[in-house]
Amino acid sequence: MADALSEVLGEVLVSADGEEVAVSALAARGVSLLKLWNKYRVSNVPSLIFIDASTGKVVCRNGLLVIRDDPEGLEFPWGPKPFSEVVAGPLLRNNGQTLDSNALEGSHVGVYFSAHWCPPCRSLTRVLVESYRKIKEAGQKFEILFVSADRSEDSFKQYFSEMPWVAVPYADEARRSRLNRLYGIQGIPTLIVLDCKGEVITRQGRVEVLNDIECREFPWHPKPVLELTDSNAVQLNEGPCLVLFVDSEDDGESEAAKQLIQPIAEKIIAKYKAKEEEAPLLFFVAGEDDMTDSLRDYTNLPEAAPLLTILDMSARAKYVMDVEEITPEIVEAFVSDFLADKLKPEPI
């Protein structure tokens, strides 16, 4: 079994016929199965993720859709396909006109998974319409592709009538499902932003649009360290997050904290990117506001600032380092110890 997966599972033994699995090694080593949730960014159940045992890399995140769409296994091993191949076919405009998907070539594309019945989706759509207009007026080559999760074609048509971009025809359920599978969509609204070659720039398009109303940072390449806000706090549920709490009343404190963390975050991200894996931690700086106060209360953190923490919401666990001065050496040691399972968690 690949090292990447073995690091998570420990010594898991499977008999040749696949019938007998010895999982006692997990308990003996104290390895938490929640590490699997974090490694593969599982946010709801049931979830079925296919991996390549020879490399430990994810083959498909939406295994349940695979089983539904390909019960005979004709497309096995269900590896990811290029966006251009998955999206191939006619697309719609809300005036009934059609165009071929190759019209998207050479543009940044936002793949928008949404539905009329979902209130957060409708709120985001209103903002996204304005963002789309501003980006196009600035001369950027940008298109949005609506992939509907509506429950009827009438609902799809009503919702799509509010959108100035293109959509996969509602009747083409197979193509809509393949796009869901390609990006492992686990909830809506989700906006995946692609570069001109169809490669993912960010899966957090929703957060980026809400945080950058003027679209100055389009196409929203990910930042190593984020300032915690109401709109991106949802990312705390996606896996372990390092959060450095600071006193934002002190001018420049938040920016200085970002600069302190950023080299360490970049180092971790680069290390896992080289292995074609997602980084095991997200990095945030949190100032003093109502949202941060609520987070401190929910996780029962002390009021100290600066306060260095790692919060793992899915495991309901926290790791806290309360020292008078936070230095790069302290942060790097804290992260290294966490990744090496040397820290003792406290319950949230």
Side-chain angles (χ1 to χ4, degrees):
M1 184 173 289
D3 291 343
L5 188 58
S6 299
E7 288 176 4
V8 180
L9 292 177
E11 294 181 3
V12 180
L13 307 177
V14 183
S15 65
D17 58 11
E19 293 182 355
E20 189 176 316
V21 181
V23 295
S24 58
L26 283 174
R29 288 175 175 263
V31 178
S32 170
L33 290 177
L34 284 169
K35 289 184 70 178
L36 284 171
W37 287 62
N38 293 333
K39 180 177 179 64
Y40 297 113
R41 304 293 189 192
V42 175
S43 60
N44 57 20
V45 292
S47 288
L48 177 61
I49 297 173
F50 294 110
I51 60 171
D52 183 336
S54 65
T55 64
K57 294 176 183 176
V58 173
V59 172
C60 176
R61 292 186 179 277
N62 270 14
L64 295 175
L65 283 179
V66 168
I67 298 301
R68 187 196 72 180
D69 295 346
D70 185 25
E72 302 299 322
L74 300 178
E75 297 179 25
F76 182 82
W78 304 304
K81 298 177 180 179
F83 169 71
S84 59
E85 181 179 336
V86 176
V87 78
L91 303 177
L92 290 178
R93 292 203 178 276
N94 62 15
N95 60 5
Q97 292 181 341
T98 62
L99 69 161
D100 193 84
S101 58
N102 60 20
L104 300 176
E105 293 178 5
S107 296
H108 287 85
V109 177
V111 189
Y112 185 37
F113 299 86
S114 186
H116 185 265
W117 53 262
C118 163
C121 294
R122 296 198 302 273
S123 296
L124 179 61
T125 296
R126 289 191 289 271
V127 177
L128 192 54
V129 166
E130 288 303 308
S131 297
Y132 178 79
R133 179 184 60 78
K134 290 172 183 175
I135 293 168
K136 300 282 276 188
E137 288 178 354
Q140 300 272 14
K141 296 192 72 175
F142 180 53
E143 193 52 76
I144 294 177
L145 175 66
F146 173 41
V147 184
S148 174
D150 286 296
R151 293 165 178 164
S152 71
E153 184 146 13
D154 286 343
S155 292
F156 162 76
K157 289 179 178 177
Q158 179 184 349
Y159 193 29
F160 187 40
S161 69
E162 305 169 11
M163 303 177 183
W165 43 75
V166 299
V168 176
Y170 185 80
D172 196 343
E173 184 177 357
R175 193 161 30 142
R176 290 191 288 122
S177 183
R178 287 195 296 270
L179 285 162
N180 273 272
R181 284 162 47 187
L182 179 62
Y183 297 115
I185 302 303
Q186 298 189 39
I188 56 173
T190 294
L191 178 65
I192 309 288
V193 182
L194 310 180
D195 66 16
C196 297
K197 297 180 180 179
E199 300 294 327
V200 174
I201 293 176
T202 179
R203 299 177 59 86
Q204 300 296 335
R206 173 190 181 183
V207 171
E208 298 293 352
V209 166
L210 294 175
N211 278 348
D212 183 25
I213 296 298
E214 297 303 319
C215 306
R216 293 190 178 97
E217 297 182 4
F218 175 82
W220 303 302
H221 288 280
K223 300 182 183 68
V225 183
L226 297 175
E227 187 163 349
L228 193 61
T229 64
D230 288 332
S231 58
N232 65 26
V234 65
Q235 292 178 255
L236 294 174
N237 295 313
E238 295 184 3
C241 299
L242 182 142
V243 184
L244 175 54
F245 293 87
V246 298
D247 181 2
S248 60
E249 294 180 0
D250 185 347
D251 290 342
E253 185 75 16
S254 291
E255 188 57 35
K258 286 183 190 177
Q259 295 302 317
L260 184 151
I261 294 175
Q262 184 154 324
I264 298 156
E266 289 175 341
K267 182 178 177 181
I268 295 292
I269 292 167
K271 175 183 176 181
Y272 283 84
K273 184 177 181 179
K275 299 192 290 184
E276 297 185 10
E277 296 181 20
E278 292 188 42
L281 273 174
L282 299 176
F283 296 84
F284 292 91
V285 169
E288 291 292 334
D289 55 33
D290 291 343
M291 192 277 296
T292 301
D293 289 343
S294 296
L295 178 61
R296 282 185 186 264
D297 291 342
Y298 178 75
T299 54
N300 196 27
L301 289 171
E303 291 298 322
L307 182 68
L308 183 62
T309 68
I310 292 175
L311 304 178
D312 188 346
M313 303 304 242
S314 62
R316 298 190 62 81
K318 63 185 178 186
Y319 307 82
V320 181
M321 179 164 286
D322 185 1
V323 295
E324 289 187 5
E325 182 181 4
I326 306 293
T327 65
E329 293 75 20
I330 286 174
V331 176
E332 188 155 17
F334 188 55
V335 169
S336 296
D337 287 348
F338 171 77
L339 296 178
D341 288 323
K342 293 180 180 180
L343 300 180
K344 183 177 180 180
E346 302 174 40
I348 290 178

